[in-house]
Amino acid sequence: MVTLRIRHRTTYRYGKPVAPRPHRLILRPRKSRDLRLLSMELHVEPHAVVTWAQDVAGNMVATATFQTMTNNLIIDSVAELELDAAAWPVFEIAASAIFYPFRYSEDEWTDLGALTAPQYPDSTARLREWVQGFVRSNPTDTLSLLKDVNAGVLAWVLYRQRDAEGTQSPAHTLERGWGSCRDMAVLFVEAVRTLGFGARIVSGYLHNPDGDIAGSEGAGTTHAWAEVYVSGAGWITFDPTNRSVGGANLIPVAVGRDIRQVMPVAGTFVGMSDAFEGMSVEVCVGSTFRQSEKKPPSP
């Protein structure tokens, strides 16, 4: 078990006063068997009325509502938690799902719903052909298949940090041969959905005290990975950026059908179109900060 302190600070700068619209903040780590949340503090400047609610996926969402103009918007969260995820987990997969293809129960299929449906078009069948290459036989071992796809993403796609907003489509990532952690997570999720699995995107933090894990600079950073539902075992964690299985070093904050649903901070402002000057993000998991600077988007 490891005790962690996570600080996530987002700062927006404006050259002229603006009126921030309500901002949606998903910064509270998800409690689970492997994660115990000890405390959580959220500070917003300028002053905002903050309300909390759970979304449809069970994420804790804060909504910050502002009543003043400002030249700076600061969202600062600090969480303390205990992480006890096994480095080499064993998954108790139901007998009915040990071999692929298998069929989810009627209740599982109904509840998984849209999590089994690809979210991006594949008109040329590029993604379908790519992922079918990992199906070695019929039937084949389910967990081995998922591990092969997970490893196959990193074998095919070179990790590259990408500050531009948005996410590449899976087909684009395959064509380019490189992408960020969120691009690789989306590729993996869409690939296994194409095979009929229920899967979801996860956003959170990567604890990297030794500095040797891809997707991180320093002791910690925000990160994106995936979970696949397998009968009996439940949600199994896959991090294609690091070709890893299980939640060791991963602190989940939000899960969703689409990566747009798990953004840590989302909001708009009312003001002059050239008011936005930049945004900086600082993330510290443990004791080391990581800061990235984003320039204003081109007009």
Side-chain angles (χ1 to χ4, degrees):
M1 178 183 295
V2 60
T3 301
L4 299 174
R5 182 177 185 271
I6 302 171
R7 185 177 185 185
H8 187 153
R9 181 183 176 96
T10 303
T11 303
Y12 295 91
R13 300 186 307 279
Y14 305 96
K16 303 170 185 177
V18 301
R21 301 292 294 165
H23 277 55
R24 182 174 184 264
L25 315 176
I26 309 182
L27 298 164
R28 184 186 180 98
R30 287 174 62 95
K31 293 185 289 185
S32 69
R33 181 188 63 185
D34 298 330
L35 190 154
R36 180 187 176 202
L37 184 62
L38 303 177
S39 65
M40 169 72 182
E41 296 181 4
L42 178 63
H43 301 282
V44 182
E45 297 180 21
H47 174 74
V49 175
V50 177
T51 57
W52 291 86
Q54 280 188 302
D55 66 11
V56 69
N59 305 311
M60 291 301 301
V61 180
T63 300
T65 305
F66 304 88
Q67 299 176 345
T68 184
M69 305 280 285
T70 186
N71 286 81
N72 294 280
L73 172 58
I74 301 173
I75 299 164
D76 196 0
S77 72
V78 178
E80 294 187 357
L81 56 90
E82 292 177 342
L83 185 65
D84 192 24
W88 304 101
V90 176
F91 304 105
E92 298 295 334
I93 297 175
S96 61
I98 290 176
F99 295 103
Y100 173 88
F102 66 90
R103 181 177 178 82
Y104 289 119
S105 71
E106 293 302 323
D107 282 343
E108 289 173 331
W109 185 256
T110 299
D111 292 338
L112 287 169
L115 296 178
T116 64
Q119 304 295 302
Y120 293 81
D122 187 28
S123 57
T124 64
R126 179 73 175 85
L127 178 62
R128 181 174 297 277
E129 292 176 359
W130 180 78
V131 73
Q132 282 292 336
F134 296 97
V135 182
R136 310 297 184 185
S137 61
N138 188 359
T140 192
D141 183 81
T142 298
L143 187 57
S144 295
L145 169 61
L146 292 170
K147 288 180 177 180
D148 286 347
V149 177
N150 189 49
V153 171
L154 187 59
W156 190 277
V157 180
L158 176 68
Y159 169 75
R160 185 181 300 177
Q161 186 177 352
R162 189 168 60 82
D163 290 332
E165 295 184 2
T167 305
Q168 299 174 169
S169 70
H172 193 190
T173 299
L174 287 174
E175 290 298 328
R176 271 188 163 185
W178 62 266
S180 65
C181 63
R182 61 186 184 275
D183 300 320
M184 298 169 83
V186 168
L187 171 59
F188 174 81
V189 166
E190 288 290 283
V192 298
R193 283 175 177 168
T194 299
L195 293 175
F197 289 95
R200 60 190 185 185
I201 293 286
V202 189
S203 70
Y205 303 102
L206 177 63
H207 176 46
N208 185 18
D210 298 325
D212 58 353
I213 303 176
S216 176
E217 295 179 3
T221 185
T222 55
H223 194 50
W225 60 95
E227 291 179 345
V228 181
Y229 186 83
V230 179
S231 302
W235 291 103
I236 300 178
T237 297
F238 292 90
D239 180 7
T241 304
N242 292 289
R243 201 169 60 182
S244 62
V245 182
N249 297 316
L250 299 173
I251 301 100
V253 172
V255 299
R257 169 182 48 83
D258 189 279
I259 198 163
R260 295 177 295 103
Q261 299 172 310
V262 297
M263 294 174 58
V265 178
T268 60
F269 67 88
V270 176
M272 301 297 291
S273 59
D274 61 347
F276 179 71
E277 289 191 338
M279 179 184 79
S280 61
V281 178
E282 297 170 86
V283 174
C284 174
V285 180
S287 60
T288 303
F289 280 89
R290 168 184 179 270
Q291 181 168 351
S292 61
E293 188 77 13
K294 293 188 177 182
K295 299 179 180 179
S298 302

